[in-house]
Amino acid sequence: MQRKNLFDGESYKAEFAIITYRWLMSRRWVTNADIMAERFGCSIEELPANLSNCDGYGELKKIVCIVKKAIREKLGVRNKNVDDCFEEDGNNKNRRFRYIGKDNDPLADMRNVKAINNLRQYWKFCQDSAGFFPKSWLEYFFKDCQDLLDMKTKRQKGEQVISASIDRILTNIEYLPSLYEAITNKMVMEIDYKPFEEEVITLVFHPHYLKEYNGRWHLFGHADGRVPEYGYNIALDRIQSKPRERGKVEYVPAPKHFYDAFFKDIVGVSHRKDAHKEHIVIRARSLYIYKLMDTKPLHQSYAVVKSFGTYDDGEYAEFSIDVEPNNEFYGRILQMGAGLEVVSPDSVRKEIAQRVRDLANLYPHEK
């Protein structure tokens, strides 16, 4: 009887099996606590003193035994006391084990079947979503592939089941694949670019990162002789001609985790000069707006300050975010009209008020 694929599915068992097997194939000593900590993305010290209090611990104990048994069966180990492929050490509470077998990937067949299943699901997703991905993206990566023909047929027959907003800015979207490859291959590019309300400039550009926001794609990187040194922002729709590879120029990479920090404290993609992070408290003036913000927060730092209810000064909810105020932030607040009110800090509240006054001045005779 064929054993069920240990690595397939989204259950605790499959997750623990993948983590356990990865540890074993590294040939390092490992404990149940190591596996549990990796599953939850924390250190061992952050786990409860009694591992049995961790969610899924029962499944973890079972799957460790199942993975070890599957490896033994694959290697033909008949007597684990004589020719075992594992070493164990310690008592029941602090028991650790490691793999010492000769085969560096005994369950490769299972892993490959899992990968193939994932690829098939991805193909199916791509076929069903012809129109969601930029056409140029699919045609670049699936060139001469039967699946691309299937995608085109689905699109022509109107059988796609996933789509994206039609207000996306698609100018120069065909450059996405080559820019993606330039990033992964660390290639320096020469880009003719027209900043907003400026003349065309030619940049020697070291691409680091691609990000889409509000329907527009942005390329971030290092531009020789330009500031900022890292995080220079190019909007794809303002590129004037196809980017060209620039040879004999050493690629300048971004510092490690630079873009994690770059996007962490902003809404969208831009930093304002001399801006700094603020703790901003915002009031939702209706239950509908509150639910909208609660289910689709403005920023990952979103936290509820007051749940929606009736207070001495009215009916509302309050939430906070910790961000650098930028144009994208103000745009998202103003998008909700009278549904949102910035409570603090005063500097942000005053800028919102000024923008509202400027808007109202456009309609001086309306009642």
Side-chain angles (χ1 to χ4, degrees):
M1 180 177 176
Q2 187 176 12
R3 177 183 291 276
K4 183 180 181 296
N5 193 328
L6 303 175
F7 307 124
D8 205 12
E10 302 296 330
S11 65
Y12 277 143
K13 286 184 179 180
E15 289 188 51
F16 283 137
I18 292 169
I19 296 170
T20 300
Y21 188 70
R22 187 163 57 237
W23 268 96
L24 291 173
M25 292 306 103
S26 73
R27 299 178 181 271
R28 293 177 292 166
W29 287 104
V30 60
T31 67
N32 287 350
D34 290 317
I35 299 168
M36 184 65 75
E38 183 170 336
R39 164 65 181 77
F40 286 106
C42 65
S43 65
I44 292 178
E45 290 73 20
E46 294 174 286
L47 293 173
N50 188 345
L51 278 185
S52 62
N53 292 328
C54 291
D55 191 20
Y57 179 66
E59 299 290 355
L60 169 60
K61 290 179 63 178
K62 293 177 186 176
I63 203 64
V64 167
C65 294
I66 291 172
V67 170
K68 290 164 73 174
K69 182 178 179 181
I71 293 173
R72 288 186 177 112
E73 289 178 354
K74 188 68 176 179
L75 297 179
V77 175
R78 300 182 182 278
N79 186 343
K80 65 180 184 179
N81 293 321
V82 176
D83 55 357
D84 200 3
C85 52
F86 295 100
E87 281 185 340
E88 295 193 2
D89 181 54
N91 55 36
N92 288 332
K93 186 176 180 181
N94 298 305
R95 185 171 299 278
R96 61 178 187 162
F97 51 94
R98 68 176 175 179
Y99 174 69
I100 57 172
K102 294 181 179 179
D103 191 327
N104 290 326
D105 194 358
L107 300 185
D109 289 347
M110 279 191 186
R111 290 197 312 105
N112 290 338
V113 168
K114 164 71 171 171
I116 290 170
N117 285 340
N118 287 346
L119 283 172
R120 284 173 177 164
Q121 291 175 355
Y122 179 66
W123 288 127
K124 181 65 167 58
F125 171 72
C126 288
Q127 289 175 352
D128 288 341
S129 63
F132 181 81
F133 290 116
K135 178 182 175 183
S136 59
W137 184 273
L138 295 174
E139 293 186 352
Y140 186 91
F141 285 106
F142 302 144
K143 183 180 179 182
D144 301 325
C145 173
Q146 180 62 39
D147 295 88
L148 177 58
L149 299 178
D150 293 342
M151 289 178 225
K152 289 181 177 179
T153 300
K154 281 208 166 196
R155 187 165 58 233
Q156 291 165 357
K157 290 182 177 179
E159 294 178 354
Q160 68 188 58
V161 297
I162 304 176
S163 65
S165 172
I166 61 172
D167 61 358
R168 291 180 300 162
I169 299 171
L170 299 180
T171 303
N172 294 334
I173 203 76
E174 67 272 14
Y175 300 154
L176 262 181
S178 57
L179 292 173
Y180 166 78
E181 288 205 340
I183 293 171
T184 56
N185 294 329
K186 296 180 169 51
M187 296 162 47
V188 180
M189 308 296 287
E190 194 171 82
I191 299 176
D192 297 325
Y193 184 64
K194 189 179 187 308
F196 185 63
E197 294 186 335
E198 295 182 27
E199 296 298 318
V200 176
I201 56 176
T202 298
L203 299 172
V204 176
F205 199 77
H206 307 247
H208 299 152
Y209 200 94
L210 281 164
K211 185 178 178 68
E212 185 271 344
Y213 178 74
N214 199 28
R216 169 177 275 148
W217 281 93
H218 299 259
L219 174 67
F220 295 86
H222 167 82
D224 286 359
R226 303 276 172 171
V227 292
E229 183 176 6
Y230 304 106
Y232 191 95
N233 182 352
I234 289 180
L236 253 64
D237 57 296
R238 294 180 186 151
I239 294 177
Q240 301 301 296
S241 60
K242 184 177 180 179
R244 307 168 296 279
E245 182 179 356
R246 179 72 179 266
K248 299 181 181 179
V249 178
E250 186 177 356
Y251 179 83
V252 178
K256 193 173 182 180
H257 300 301
F258 173 83
Y259 287 98
D260 293 337
F262 184 85
F263 293 113
K264 181 181 177 183
D265 296 329
I266 58 173
V267 175
V269 295
S270 69
H271 289 265
R272 294 178 75 181
K273 188 177 180 180
D274 300 326
H276 58 275
K277 184 165 70 172
E278 302 271 12
H279 180 69
I280 304 172
V281 178
I282 301 167
R283 186 169 290 182
R285 285 293 186 173
S286 73
L287 181 60
Y288 170 75
I289 295 295
Y290 168 59
K291 289 295 184 183
L292 193 62
M293 293 294 101
D294 198 48
T295 54
K296 193 178 179 182
L298 290 170
H299 187 260
Q300 61 189 9
S301 61
Y302 169 90
V304 176
V305 177
K306 291 183 180 180
S307 296
F308 193 85
T310 302
Y311 301 94
D312 292 341
D313 54 348
E315 189 177 51
Y316 57 84
E318 285 184 356
F319 61 90
S320 68
I321 59 174
D322 298 293
V323 298
E324 294 178 18
N326 59 8
N327 286 332
E328 294 98 308
F329 163 77
Y330 288 114
R332 290 291 305 277
I333 297 297
L334 293 170
Q335 183 182 8
M336 296 295 107
L340 290 181
E341 175 192 0
V342 172
V343 177
S344 64
D346 284 344
S347 58
V348 178
R349 181 178 171 89
K350 287 177 180 177
E351 179 151 355
I352 286 284
Q354 184 60 54
R355 292 184 181 222
V356 171
R357 282 192 294 270
D358 292 342
L359 180 61
N361 288 338
L362 296 176
Y363 306 93
H365 304 300
E366 301 298 325
K367 294 182 178 181

